[in-house]
Amino acid sequence: MTALLISILLFGIGAAGSLIVANRIRWLTFVGAGGVILGSLTGIAPAVRAALGAPPQSLRIAWDVPYGSLYFRLDALSAFFLLPIFLICALAALYGTQYLEAYRGRKALAPSWFFLNVLAASMVVVVLAHNAILFLMAWETMALSSFFLVTFEDDKESTRQAGWTYLVASHIGTACLLVLFVLLGRANGSMDFDRFSASAATGLLFVLALIGFGTKAGFIPLHVWLPEAHPAAPSHVSAVMSAVMIKTGIYGLLRILTFLGPPQAWWGWTLCAIGLSSGVLGVVLALAQHDLKRLLAYSSVENIGIIALGLGVGIVALSAGAPFIAIVAFAGALLHVLNHALFKGLLFLGAGNVAHETHTREIDRLGGLLRRMPGTGATFLIGAAAISGLPPLNGFVSEFLIYLASFRGAISLDASGSVPMLATLSGLALIGGLATACFTKAFGIVFLGHPRTEHAETAHEAGPVMLVPGFVLASGCAFIGLFGSTVVQSMAPLISTVTGLPRISVGENLVQASKSVAIVGYFAALLIGLAALLSLARTIALSRRRVATAETWGCGYANPSPRMQYTASSFTQPLTEIFGTFLQTRQIFTGSDQLFLQRAEFRTHTDDPYQRYLFRPLFHGISRGMNSLRPLQQAKVQYYVLYIAITLLALLLWQVS
Amino acid sequence: MNQLINSILVLLVLTGFMLLSSSRLAACIRAIAIQGVLLGILAIVIQVGQLSVAGVLLPLSSAIVKGFVLPWLLFRAMREADTVREVEPVISYNLSIIAGTAALGVSLWLGHRLTLSNQPPSSLLVPAAFFTSLVGMIVIASRQKALTQVLGYLALENGVYAFGAAVALRLPILVELGILLDVFVGVFVMGIAIFHISREFDHIDTDKLRARTARL
Amino acid sequence: MSSGSLLPLILAVVLAPLMQAVITRTKSVLAGRIGQPLLQPYRDLWKLLRKGAVYSQTTTWIFQMGPTVGLASVILAMGLVPFGGSPALSGFTGDFVLIAYLMAAGRFFTVVAALDTGSSFEGMGASREVTFSALAEPALFLGLAALVRQTGHLSLSPVLASVSTVTWRHAAPILSLTLAGLIIVFLAENARIPVDDPTTHLELTMIHEVMVLDHSGPDFALIQYGAALKMWLFAAIIIGVAAPWHFGNRWIDLGAALGGMLVLGIATGVIESSMARLRLLRVPQLLLVAIVLSALALAL
């Protein structure tokens, strides 16, 4: 626990230090990044120990804030979420040292380092806080610091817009949390988490938590801020936000579930439904994007959907009294939290390299980058395969556990329990197939083929500092893919904290489930080995024969140009057509259909349907409603006095009657 | 026995999907014809053990009317109107299938929830009946041509018939009356609809021709 | 891990190209030709394996990875599929998920290898491949779920071992719906008519063939062989459901299953001869029908 406090302190020193040395760039980078990296390294050891089952520790310091106390508690659940926070923050800070170089002289860098340190500290406090007031304060600090990080390039209109969207969405969520904690606090007479327990209206509390934390996590339709904010932020910040910050929403939901007592089946149904819609719509929207980072942001919505599916299956199984299924499902969902942190961090940093070197994020303007950026390309490929849930990488392990739970549930539960299971497994299959389409596009169009523009043509590999984080994360993906069973077995304390089942039986169940995962690991290793063997055989066979190089076969066309390659939009066109009803893609064609060709232009644009059809009209309506109150504001003191008098009179009458 | 009933019901559901997914009018008419025959067989099979002459003859005649006479009329109408396929449905065929799947889900849930005073011979009977009616409604709501609309009405009516078979198993008189009513309604709808078709297609036809020559 | 038998894997490795030959032969006979000898696919593979190769200047190591990962994944998946009453080499709870995802991994690398050439034709094929497989995947999983629910086992070998004539007598509608769904998936995943025409000569209409236009020599041999194995794999699962005779004698069971494969091959040839390829826009609808069939099987 002391180590964690020191780590928070180091973040604080980093934050304060970067303001002090604001004008000395070299010192600033050193202090700002140093604070995050040192703080993370200090904290990671106790977090690992606690996640592996060290007894929970707590620390309580009195605080002057009413009902508040500086009450920290480190249990397996907190520790599990601390791991990706420390890992990704440290790597992102390392990455940022070089990434932000490009802005040197154009932008004040001190605020960026300051807020990165604050963000890291606030995330740590969020998962450690054991008092509602402390939690909410840290939650709010997290939202604000990330808001300032998102609006780093505040000279761009689109960035400011994204920042506002994020701020508003974030506060709608916080409002729900405030109500939630007030209700819990009033029922239990204290704001400390360990005094919270199931009160009467658990359903209402669950819904409040779902909206409040779902906004942060990015459940559809509360996800609208996510595809705006993530692309706008600098890439290492997007990595932190997408890989770990949105996971604090999942953490919060799980933490609240531990207060609410035995879960009800409809909570699980709701989570399954949310997971299904977030997963499928998230990946379909990702498919339709032209901006690499926006694509990744939507894919985060998809992965949050997969996590929600796992949680939903787990809750349905818990409420139906099927502990094995519940344990496996929770293990899958939580492992996916970790996995998504690894590969989404990796992909955002890779996308950052691409944007840094080519100055564009438009997928259709890139191409052929694998030759120019081999390291970035190779790690991005690993990330793309992992996020598509393919063996031999980590994405498959967590999805496999969720599949396993839902297949088992489909057999052994009754009709009402097996329907969400069947929906989950068919939804997961669809999401998997669509994710493969999405990430073959992202990798294939960006890194393969010919460069489509000069930007891509002249790109160079990013510096080593920007490559190392990618390699670390990629090896993490491979590690969990190969040794998943060890990881799964070590999750017993965590699952036991979440489900409230005794740790020994959880451990036994996990050992049983991890048998399959171990064989999956063997197969992953075999796949790598066999593919390598076949490659070797092919190379040996070809070494003594004639191997020629030629143009790509263009069906006889002799003068191909890079512009004629299949683009990302055409690659996904069949799928966006099939899901057109949900996407409402706008097609803009300028040009003529006359006999002689003229300059023509064709573009497609896919707005977020929820933004367009739900939130924009909603907020327009609100602002119209507010406008109708305008006449009240006459800027004359007499009127205001009158209003006060009328209000007082009305209150009096209400009180008297 | 139950296997046979279940198989018939599964085929009934599949013909529903056939109706939803096919753009060719001929295939749709065939789907409705198959439904008619299937329902006739179903009504007989359900009564096994207490068969009466009327109990066989009535479903049989209904199957002949629905399976052969009405389709024949419809095919004739199709030929006269010189149209082969539904060109522009309001919602796409993919979406129709998805809507059909949703309808199937809803009907299964309803069948699960609905408790009838007398147990139907198969748990799938009520859902299949509901589903067939819902398919009829989807077709009526989502298709443009008068002929497909008639097919929608017929599917709706087939669903009602199947439901009647489920509920009124031990009330033969009611079944007979219901069947008679069904046939009457079927012919009645047909009469009106064919009148509409011939009127409607007269000008649709010319429109189509004009559009085609313009494109050429 | 239950003790398995090497036999299904060996049979697949040896006989997979033969099944393709049976289909081609059936089509030839139905078209009034004599057709190629049944061993022709083996000769083709041997010829390709001894050739040199031509690589496009655009390509990178990704292009060379496609065929090897593709073949490796399908061979490993074969190790999980039982055949004719003999259990698979390996089997564990949830192994069919691994089978499906190994195939997906192979597909992923085939698709990126196609994109590596920068050819718009191969991009087109890749695009169609990912589209159709994204829709085939839920159909496959729902079909598997129906089988799993019917038999109560969570591993492919026991699932197929417990489908018997008795099961068919109890649950004929369920099994036939599942089977119909699986056959559609079989046709779609293996690029057969009505989804894709393996013999077409127009690049614009191809799906699978156009993705591998630029592969040559040993690489192409690996791809062809991988495709044959993939077809055998799906066929073996289908035959496991459709030909559920367990006579008690291992060799008779094997013979029955091999006969089933022969019948399936001929049936595929007949389908190919008697149907036209669907318009590409209609293929998703066919796959949706497969999903509906499997979902209906689950609802029963």
Side-chain angles (χ1 to χ4, degrees):
Chain A
M1 199 70 214
T2 348
L4 287 173
L5 287 186
I6 293 174
S7 125
I8 297 174
L9 191 69
L10 282 169
F11 291 139
I13 294 174
S18 37
L19 288 188
I20 293 169
V21 297
N23 292 325
R24 301 204 185 157
I25 283 293
R26 188 160 308 216
W27 280 95
L28 173 64
T29 308
F30 194 71
V31 171
V36 179
I37 294 171
L38 279 182
S40 302
L41 291 181
T42 322
I44 210 153
V48 170
R49 263 199 308 274
L52 291 179
Q57 305 168 28
S58 42
L59 174 82
R60 185 174 188 143
I61 306 166
W63 199 17
D64 286 342
V65 178
Y67 301 108
S69 62
L70 290 173
Y71 190 2
F72 300 99
R73 191 162 192 275
L74 176 68
D75 61 3
L77 179 57
S78 310
F80 179 77
F81 281 84
L82 278 178
L83 293 177
I85 291 176
F86 285 135
L87 179 69
I88 302 291
C89 283
L91 292 175
L94 181 65
Y95 182 91
T97 56
Q98 202 168 11
Y99 186 82
L100 288 178
E101 282 289 294
Y103 295 94
R104 192 170 172 171
R106 289 195 288 134
K107 282 259 148 225
L109 298 184
S112 181
W113 285 115
F114 171 77
F115 284 117
L116 189 62
N117 275 290
V118 174
L119 176 62
S122 59
M123 286 194 294
V124 172
V125 176
V126 160
V127 295
L128 285 178
H130 219 58
N131 174 286
I133 304 289
L134 180 63
F135 180 89
L136 282 173
M137 286 204 159
W139 187 261
E140 196 53 28
T141 315
M142 182 174 86
L144 286 177
S145 54
S146 50
F147 164 75
F148 285 111
L149 284 169
V150 166
T151 52
F152 176 66
E153 294 187 70
D154 53 6
D155 46 335
K156 289 186 190 161
E157 167 66 27
S158 62
T159 305
R160 289 200 299 270
Q161 198 62 40
W164 290 123
T165 311
Y166 173 45
L167 205 62
V168 171
S170 191
H171 282 85
I172 292 173
T174 314
C176 286
L177 293 186
L178 205 61
V179 177
L180 168 74
F181 283 121
V182 166
L183 285 178
L184 272 171
R186 210 175 56 179
N188 296 291
S190 163
M191 280 296 202
D192 287 348
F193 281 0
D194 46 10
R195 302 278 290 279
F196 284 171
S197 64
S199 52
T202 49
L204 175 69
L205 295 178
F206 174 75
V207 171
L208 283 171
L210 201 61
I211 299 174
F213 291 116
T215 313
K216 185 63 73 180
F219 290 156
I220 278 180
L222 304 167
H223 69 287
V224 283
W225 64 272
L226 221 138
E228 305 297 328
H230 288 199
S235 291
H236 62 297
V237 175
S238 334
V240 172
M241 287 175 71
S242 196
V244 289
M245 195 193 75
I246 61 171
K247 304 301 172 10
T248 56
I250 301 290
Y251 164 80
L253 195 58
L254 287 171
R255 183 61 82 190
I256 295 297
L257 281 177
T258 60
F259 307 148
L260 296 185
Q264 291 162 16
W266 68 266
W267 302 356
W269 278 74
T270 313
L271 273 172
C272 278
I274 288 176
L276 211 56
S277 61
S278 301
V280 176
L281 283 178
V283 68
V284 169
L285 283 163
L287 267 170
Q289 300 308 315
H290 307 306
D291 177 331
L292 185 56
K293 280 174 77 177
R294 221 175 142 82
L295 179 150
L296 293 177
Y298 272 117
S299 130
S300 291
V301 176
E302 170 224 328
N303 279 279
I304 288 288
I306 295 177
I307 295 169
L309 279 175
L311 297 180
V313 168
I315 291 175
V316 169
L318 263 189
S319 70
F324 177 76
I325 301 171
I327 289 165
V328 175
F330 276 112
L334 285 163
L335 187 57
H336 204 75
V337 168
L338 185 61
N339 287 342
H340 182 244
L342 292 175
F343 47 64
K344 192 44 72 63
L346 167 60
L347 290 171
F348 261 117
L349 296 184
N353 285 356
V354 170
H356 191 261
E357 300 302 322
T358 62
H359 308 291
T360 178
R361 300 193 310 248
E362 284 282 309
I363 298 174
D364 283 339
R365 292 178 173 274
L366 298 167
L369 288 182
L370 187 63
R371 279 172 185 276
R372 289 156 187 85
M373 309 172 74
T376 309
T379 49
F380 198 94
L381 174 66
I382 291 175
I387 202 169
S388 309
L390 299 178
L393 295 161
N394 59 349
F396 178 67
V397 178
S398 44
E399 287 188 24
F400 177 78
L401 288 171
I402 302 177
Y403 271 121
L404 198 59
S406 33
F407 268 111
R408 172 76 42 119
I411 299 181
S412 53
L413 297 183
D414 62 346
S416 66
S418 62
V419 169
M421 306 291 170
L422 292 171
T424 297
L425 62 90
S426 49
L428 265 183
L430 181 63
I431 294 170
L434 292 173
T436 308
C438 182
F439 281 93
T440 45
K441 159 189 143 175
F443 177 73
I445 306 292
V446 172
F447 286 96
L448 303 177
H450 284 290
R452 289 180 176 77
T453 55
E454 209 170 305
H455 294 302
E457 181 99 55
T458 54
H460 296 288
E461 181 61 291
V465 175
M466 286 167 73
L467 282 178
V468 168
F471 287 126
V472 174
L473 292 171
S475 41
C477 290
F479 177 81
I480 297 185
L482 293 172
F483 304 101
S485 64
T486 325
V487 180
V488 170
Q489 285 183 24
S490 67
M491 288 169 81
L494 167 69
I495 309 286
S496 145
T497 315
V498 175
T499 57
L501 298 167
R503 185 182 296 183
I504 296 174
S505 77
V506 171
E508 282 162 3
N509 282 320
L510 279 181
V511 167
Q512 207 196 328
S514 69
K515 278 181 198 154
S516 294
V517 180
I519 303 178
V520 167
Y522 295 140
F523 268 84
L526 277 176
L527 178 62
I528 297 172
L530 192 56
L533 204 68
L534 286 171
S535 299
L536 189 69
R538 193 252 329 268
T539 314
I540 291 173
L542 282 181
S543 63
R544 275 167 289 150
R545 296 183 202 152
R546 204 175 69 88
V547 176
T549 50
E551 282 281 326
T552 296
W553 171 241
C555 301
Y557 186 70
N559 187 20
S561 92
R563 295 281 306 271
M564 290 165 64
Q565 292 173 96
Y566 231 46
T567 60
S569 325
S570 36
F571 185 75
T572 51
Q573 189 269 342
L575 279 169
T576 48
E577 184 81 34
I578 294 173
F579 291 94
T581 323
F582 305 109
L583 289 173
Q584 298 292 332
T585 303
R586 283 180 292 139
Q587 302 190 339
I588 303 146
F589 176 72
T590 51
S592 65
D593 50 357
Q594 285 165 5
L595 286 180
F596 292 101
L597 288 179
Q598 290 167 341
R599 188 183 169 79
E601 198 175 284
F602 177 75
R603 57 174 77 228
T604 59
H605 190 77
T606 308
D607 286 328
D608 194 295
Y610 288 93
Q611 175 89 306
R612 191 157 166 214
Y613 296 107
L614 181 64
F615 288 104
R616 210 169 290 162
L618 184 70
F619 282 100
H620 271 286
I622 290 175
S623 84
R624 255 206 311 280
M626 295 293 144
N627 273 340
S628 68
L629 295 177
R630 267 272 165 81
L632 290 176
Q633 192 181 11
Q634 295 288 351
K636 283 184 185 163
V637 181
Q638 302 93 304
Y639 283 114
Y640 294 139
V641 173
L642 183 66
Y643 295 155
I644 294 170
I646 291 174
T647 314
L648 285 175
L649 191 65
L651 284 173
L652 185 71
L653 287 177
W654 178 53
Q655 196 61 30
V656 170
S657 61
Chain B
M1 204 65 242
N2 204 8
Q3 282 295 311
L4 184 58
I5 294 177
N6 268 347
S7 305
I8 293 173
L9 291 171
V10 166
L11 288 175
L12 188 67
V13 172
L14 289 182
T15 50
F17 277 107
M18 186 173 159
L19 184 62
L20 282 177
S21 65
S22 185
S23 68
R24 282 171 199 277
L25 290 178
C28 292
I29 297 175
R30 247 173 245 131
I32 290 293
I34 297 170
Q35 274 193 351
V37 175
L38 283 174
L39 286 173
I41 301 173
L42 182 73
I44 296 172
V45 168
I46 284 178
Q47 299 178 57
V48 163
Q50 43 187 30
L51 273 176
S52 61
V53 178
V56 176
L57 279 184
L58 274 171
L60 206 62
S61 50
S62 133
I64 288 169
V65 170
K66 286 182 172 177
F68 301 98
V69 180
L70 289 185
W72 176 71
L73 285 170
L74 284 168
F75 271 118
R76 216 184 60 174
M78 197 181 94
R79 262 195 308 279
E80 276 172 12
D82 193 22
T83 178
V84 181
R85 49 173 80 230
E86 172 81 36
V87 187
E88 278 178 347
V90 179
I91 56 173
S92 75
Y93 290 102
N94 286 334
L95 216 57
S96 299
I97 298 180
I98 293 171
T101 319
L104 184 61
V106 169
S107 344
L108 284 167
W109 183 74
L110 273 175
H112 192 65
R113 277 302 169 91
L114 206 66
T115 39
L116 297 173
S117 53
N118 51 352
Q119 195 62 30
S122 157
S123 61
L124 195 63
L125 186 48
V126 177
F130 264 124
F131 172 76
T132 311
S133 316
L134 286 176
V135 165
M137 289 183 206
I138 295 172
V139 168
I140 292 170
S142 69
R143 303 293 196 263
Q144 304 254 353
K145 295 246 191 259
L147 192 63
T148 3
Q149 301 249 327
V150 174
L151 293 175
Y153 281 116
L154 287 174
L156 188 66
E157 196 257 354
N158 280 342
V160 175
Y161 182 98
F163 195 69
V167 185
L169 175 58
R170 283 170 186 77
L171 301 169
I173 305 251
L174 205 69
V175 181
E176 287 161 29
L177 278 178
I179 290 167
L180 281 175
L181 192 70
D182 283 351
V183 173
F184 174 70
V185 169
V187 174
F188 188 67
V189 168
M190 274 296 302
I192 299 171
I194 285 182
F195 175 66
H196 273 288
I197 292 170
S198 51
R199 248 191 14 192
E200 191 128 339
F201 276 137
D202 271 346
H203 72 258
I204 284 185
D205 236 340
T206 46
D207 266 3
K208 218 168 134 189
L209 278 174
R210 201 171 296 149
R212 198 169 285 163
T213 41
R215 217 171 295 138
L216 288 172
Chain C
M1 202 186 287
S2 56
S3 66
S5 148
L6 256 177
L7 202 61
L9 185 59
I10 293 174
L11 278 176
V13 166
V14 176
L15 293 180
L18 194 61
M19 184 160 178
Q20 294 197 317
V22 168
I23 297 177
T24 323
R25 189 62 174 266
T26 312
K27 286 167 74 176
S28 310
V29 170
L30 286 178
R33 290 178 277 124
I34 296 170
Q36 62 186 29
L38 283 176
L39 292 182
Q40 189 62 37
Y42 295 94
R43 289 185 200 153
D44 287 344
L45 285 176
W46 181 239
K47 182 183 72 190
L48 285 169
L49 277 176
R50 284 182 311 161
K51 282 195 169 187
V54 181
Y55 290 110
S56 154
Q57 290 150 359
T58 318
T59 57
T60 57
W61 52 273
I62 299 279
F63 181 75
Q64 308 190 10
M65 233 175 119
T68 51
V69 177
L71 182 59
S73 60
V74 72
I75 289 178
L76 286 178
M78 256 339 291
L80 296 166
V81 179
F83 187 74
S86 306
L89 184 59
S90 167
F92 58 93
T93 316
D95 53 6
F96 37 76
V97 181
L98 183 61
I99 295 177
Y101 272 77
L102 278 171
M103 306 294 242
R107 179 161 52 236
F108 183 93
F109 281 95
T110 315
V111 165
V112 288
L115 289 173
D116 198 16
T117 60
S119 149
S120 45
F121 292 105
E122 294 189 38
M124 198 181 290
S127 158
R128 290 170 185 166
E129 173 89 8
V130 292
T131 304
F132 298 149
S133 60
L135 295 173
E137 209 117 298
L140 175 63
F141 271 97
L142 281 174
L144 288 171
L147 287 179
V148 161
R149 215 173 136 102
Q150 191 56 40
T151 57
H153 292 289
L154 275 172
S155 167
L156 198 57
S157 298
V159 163
L160 293 187
S162 56
V163 175
S164 63
T165 41
V166 183
T167 334
W168 270 93
R169 227 169 290 143
H170 282 302
I174 299 179
L175 287 177
S176 34
L177 283 173
T178 315
L179 202 57
L182 284 178
I183 287 175
I184 295 180
V185 173
F186 164 78
L187 294 174
E189 287 277 350
N190 291 299
R192 312 304 304 193
I193 289 176
V195 174
D196 184 12
D197 185 354
T199 55
T200 180
H201 291 283
L202 187 62
E203 287 89 345
L204 282 172
T205 62
M206 298 179 185
I207 300 173
H208 184 262
E209 292 298 308
V210 76
M211 278 207 300
V212 296
L213 268 186
D214 262 279
H215 288 282
S216 57
D219 286 321
F220 195 54
L222 297 184
I223 289 173
Q224 293 285 55
Y225 187 54
L229 274 179
K230 189 176 177 187
M231 173 174 247
W232 182 273
L233 187 150
F234 277 99
I237 297 177
I238 288 175
I239 291 306
V241 181
W245 294 286
H246 302 297
F247 298 104
N249 183 320
R250 188 174 175 180
W251 301 108
I252 298 178
D253 284 358
L254 266 184
L258 284 175
M261 298 293 264
L262 183 68
V263 172
L264 184 60
I266 293 173
T268 313
V270 172
I271 292 177
E272 298 225 323
S273 307
S274 57
M275 273 183 91
R277 196 177 60 77
L278 283 176
R279 279 185 298 147
L280 285 169
L281 288 174
R282 301 283 278 185
V283 173
Q285 204 178 324
L286 182 72
L287 293 169
L288 268 179
V289 168
I291 294 178
V292 167
L293 290 171
S294 310
L296 193 56
L298 278 165
L300 281 175

